[in-house]
Every structure is written in C-alpha cells, then in structure tokens.
Amino acid sequence: MLRTKIAGIGSYVPEKTVTNHDLQKVMDTTDEWIQERTGIRERHYAEKHKETSTTMGARAAEIAIERAGISKRDVDFIIFATLSPDYYFPGCGVLLQRELGITDTEIPALDIRNQCSGFVYGLSVADQFIKTGMYKNILLVGAEIHSMGLDFTTEGRNVTVIFGDGAGAVVLQPTDEEGKGVLTTKLHSNGTYAEKLAMINPGAHGGYHSEKMGEDIDWGYPETEYGQMFITQHMFDNGQIYPYMDGPFVFKMAVQKFPEVIMEALHSQSLTAADINLLVPHQANLRISEFVGKKLGLSPAQVWSNIQRYGNTTAASIPIALCEAVEAGAVKAGDLVCLAAFGSGFTWGSALIRW
Ligand code: COA
C-alpha cells in the first residue's frame, strides 16, 4: 500500500529578533504579561522590503529539497499555505515556483487559505495525491509575514504580541515501506465564528457580514454607482485594517477541538494517546499546548514547544516545530508523530505519521 512520507524538511526564520521588552517600548504591555499568558519571549520579524512569505518559504523549501536528496526540478507539485500572501492574487504558490527558478517545469501550484491549520490541510491534500500515484515529489510550504500587518499601538496588543514571521517546508514522497508514513489526516471547519479571529480588510465583503462582528460597523464606503472598494480611507483612520481576535473565545474553542481531533485520528487507527511518541501542535499559545498535553496524558517532553522563541507563526508553526524536533533527534524511526492545529475559520485538523 502506497503511503506518504516526509522525505525532507526545512525551516527558515528571519534574523531580526523582537523581544517582549522591545514591544514594551511601543505599546502598553509587559514581558511578564506576555510570558504568563502565552509563553512567548521573542519572535522574529522579516527584513523590510527584502523578505516576504514567498522568499522565506523558498529558503525553507531549498533546505527540505536538499535533505530529500532531490533537485528543485524533481518537484512535481507545489502547495503553499499562508494567510499573509505577497499579493491579494495571484497566490504565493506561483511566486515560490519563480523564486526557486523552476517556472519552465510548469508544474501545478496550489494555494491554501486555512490559517493556523493550513499546513495540516496541505498535508492532507498532498497525501491524497501521493496515495493515488499522481505526484511523487510534492513541495508543501507554510510561511507567514505577520509583522507586515499588525497594529503596533496599545489598541492591537492582544494580537500583536502573539504573532511572528517564519517558514517551514517538507518534501512529500510515496513509500511502500510497511507501516511507515502518514497513517491518517482528519480535517474540520465551522464557519459560525469566522469573525472571532479574522482580518477582514482589505476584502470584498462590502459590509455584508458587519453584524457578525457584534456591532453595526461603518466601513466608510463612498457612494458609488457600481461596486464597492476593497479598502477605504475610513478603514485606515479607524484601525479596521488589522487582525481582530476574541482571545478568550478562541482559547476555549482551541482546548476543546485540539484533543477532539487528535482522538479522532487515533481512534481511526485503533491507537490511543499512549501510543504517541511526539505531539507537534500548532504553536498557538504555550498554555493551550500544555493543556492539550495534560489532557492526553503526555509528558511535557512529548509535546514540542518552541513558541517561546518564535511566537505564533500560523501556517509555518508546525513545519518549523517539526523541523526543530527532527534536527534535535527527538523523532526516531518507528515513532508515532501527531500533528494538530486549530485556528481562524474556525478550521482544525490532525495528522498521524509513523516515522
Ligand atoms: N499586554 C498587556 N495586557 C494585555 C495584552 C497585552 N499584550 N493583551 C490584552 N491585555 C489585557 C486586556 O486588555 C485585558 O485587560 P482588562 O481586563 O483591563 O480588560 C486583560 O489583559 C485580559 O485580556 P484577555 O483577552 O481576557 O486575556 P486572556 O487571559 O484571555 O489572554 C490571550 C489573552 C490572547 C493570550 C488568550 O486569550 C489566548 O491565548 N487566546 C488564544 C489565542 C490564540 O491561540 N490565537 C491563535 C489561534 S491559532
């Protein structure tokens, strides 16, 4: 039976480090508050005008490709997950192809818009293509440049302190080695709470969903005969261009859905939480990961956490964390590795991989 294996993994974070103390200088927050509520000490920010989700994704991809022992030209499908694309359109998939210098191969490129669960969704999509034999070297990238779109005033502190920039990538290949590879992926969504964690401008909503934000919002659309605008001066003047998050609400949903979707994957394979060697959760908040680990009866060492150094890097967080775990020798042949994510949408999912 054909299964999907991770043949190579790479990650990249920009050089610039921004500590909690640095943020303290521009907004009313403290290192203590941030560490106590989220576990985060510092995060990395991309170099202005030089780095984007595409360029960071390309650096991570080059490492993954080299470690897989293939050449860029062997890649036969690109999947790119991000919520912070270089352009509104086209997506980062084609830009990555160009950045890697392989446009002449004319391989397909697919963009995934699933925020924190983007990597797990991408893995599931890739897994289906590998199992059917359609592609043999899928490059899956998760990359984010949050620093471009955050509110660095006190107004935006609950969101801004959490997020960081970075990228991770894997090369996925078929394997027929008994028992090895991706055993299963489980995906879910519930759009009821789409606006609980969202950046809605610039967007093509035209005010249609305003009431879902819980108030009658003025977006400042000018009177025009046809159409509306993606963005208005009013949105700039009133701070409507930044991500919004109902933190406590997201927290409550996350601690419910993480264990649920992990158990669903385990049950489907007749496995239990005790079979997990390493859980690599999306790095949303250290408190969330600790809660999930405890709930599953895992020791702290079995739950990979690096949010302290990178913040929440959304679609990049799982591949960066997994890459670190592999580099640290924390994943051995035969280990059961569980990936799990929850985020904006809400969308969530899990994957079980026999290493
Ligand atoms: N620094 C200092 N104070 C802050 C702050 C900051 N960066 N951000 C918020 N606060 C304040 C709030 O204004 C509030 O003050 P008030 O009580 O005077 O109104 C107080 O801290 C508590 O805010 P609240 O939002 O209730 O805090 P919390 O304990 O829920 O922690 C989060 C906030 C964001 C850390 C937490 O809700 C969380 O982690 N949620 C999940 C977020 C997440 O995982 N997002 C990504 C999903 S993939």
Side-chain angles (χ1 to χ4, degrees):
M1 183 186 158
L2 222 49
R3 282 217 173 102
T4 304
K5 71 167 182 185
I6 294 180
I9 184 162
S11 68
Y12 172 87
V13 288
E15 227 175 278
K16 188 183 170 68
T17 303
V18 175
T19 65
N20 294 345
H21 293 286
D22 292 328
L23 291 180
Q24 246 173 262
K25 292 179 199 148
V26 294
M27 62 178 72
D28 182 11
T29 189
T30 62
D31 175 50
E32 281 144 304
W33 192 97
I34 301 170
Q35 286 214 47
E36 190 189 307
R37 308 288 175 117
T38 69
I40 300 165
R41 289 197 306 268
E42 59 188 32
R43 69 290 287 145
H44 292 249
Y45 285 173
E47 192 178 347
K48 281 187 226 164
H49 315 302
K50 291 222 167 106
E51 293 186 305
T52 69
S53 290
T54 298
T55 68
M56 291 188 286
R59 300 297 83 81
E62 282 160 353
I63 298 167
I65 288 168
E66 199 196 323
R67 288 180 179 169
I70 60 165
S71 100
K72 291 181 207 176
R73 318 197 67 74
D74 296 320
V75 172
D76 51 9
F77 189 40
I78 292 170
I79 305 179
F80 201 120
T82 186
L83 65 64
S84 46
D86 299 19
Y87 300 143
Y88 195 93
F89 73 82
C92 286
V94 293
L95 301 181
L96 180 86
Q97 185 199 43
R98 183 172 71 187
E99 188 73 17
L100 293 176
I102 52 169
T103 47
D104 58 323
T105 60
E106 298 192 349
I107 54 164
L110 173 73
D111 288 88
I112 297 221
R113 291 284 312 269
N114 278 69
Q115 301 67 249
C116 301
S117 66
F119 185 82
V120 174
Y121 264 73
L123 181 64
S124 186
V125 170
D127 186 35
Q128 312 315 313
F129 279 126
I130 297 266
K131 283 192 294 204
T132 57
M134 184 144 171
Y135 298 113
K136 295 193 165 44
N137 284 300
I138 299 183
L139 176 61
L140 168 61
V141 175
E144 303 288 359
I145 182 162
H146 285 301
S147 59
M148 284 284 286
L150 296 171
D151 179 358
F152 286 96
T153 70
T154 296
E155 194 90 332
R157 64 183 179 177
N158 72 317
V159 174
T160 300
V161 302
I162 290 180
F163 293 99
D165 302 342
V170 290
V171 170
L172 300 162
Q173 292 177 347
T175 177
D176 52 14
E177 220 179 301
E178 186 62 30
K180 190 173 164 159
V182 175
L183 306 182
T184 187
T185 56
K186 301 290 175 198
L187 307 177
H188 293 281
S189 77
N190 183 342
T192 310
Y193 306 112
E195 289 78 12
K196 290 286 186 190
L197 176 49
M199 180 169 142
I200 58 182
N201 296 313
H205 59 88
Y208 175 72
H209 305 290
S210 293
E211 77 284 1
K212 304 283 194 317
M213 299 285 286
E215 51 191 295
D216 191 15
I217 297 172
D218 176 12
W219 302 107
Y221 289 119
E223 282 308 318
T224 52
E225 191 165 357
Y226 300 113
Q228 256 140 3
M229 299 170 88
F230 282 113
I231 194 148
T232 65
Q233 188 59 45
H234 179 97
M235 291 171 187
F236 282 104
D237 298 341
N238 292 278
Q240 295 169 331
I241 53 165
Y242 298 114
Y244 167 83
M245 178 174 72
D246 180 342
F249 190 87
V250 174
F251 195 101
K252 273 182 225 140
M253 292 295 285
V255 294
Q256 181 192 333
K257 294 301 178 188
F258 265 105
E260 213 174 271
V261 76
I262 292 170
M263 290 315 293
E264 182 190 359
L266 289 167
H267 282 151
S268 76
Q269 301 301 303
S270 305
L271 294 165
T272 69
D275 294 310
I276 295 176
N277 295 98
L278 187 70
L279 172 66
V280 182
H282 161 55
Q283 308 287 302
N285 179 322
L286 188 60
R287 308 291 159 247
I288 295 177
S289 298
E290 285 172 348
F291 178 92
V292 175
K294 261 194 205 135
K295 178 119 187 158
L296 297 175
L298 302 175
S299 71
Q302 287 178 289
V303 183
W304 197 265
S305 294
N306 63 7
I307 191 170
Q308 300 90 332
R309 286 171 289 124
Y310 303 120
N312 178 341
T313 58
T314 311
S317 92
I318 288 181
I320 292 175
L322 184 60
C323 185
E324 269 196 2
V326 170
E327 286 170 357
V331 187
K332 291 172 210 63
D335 277 358
L336 183 69
V337 178
C338 178
L339 313 181
F342 174 88
S344 163
F346 293 124
T347 65
W348 62 101
S350 63
L352 288 176
I353 306 170
R354 182 68 69 187
W355 212 258

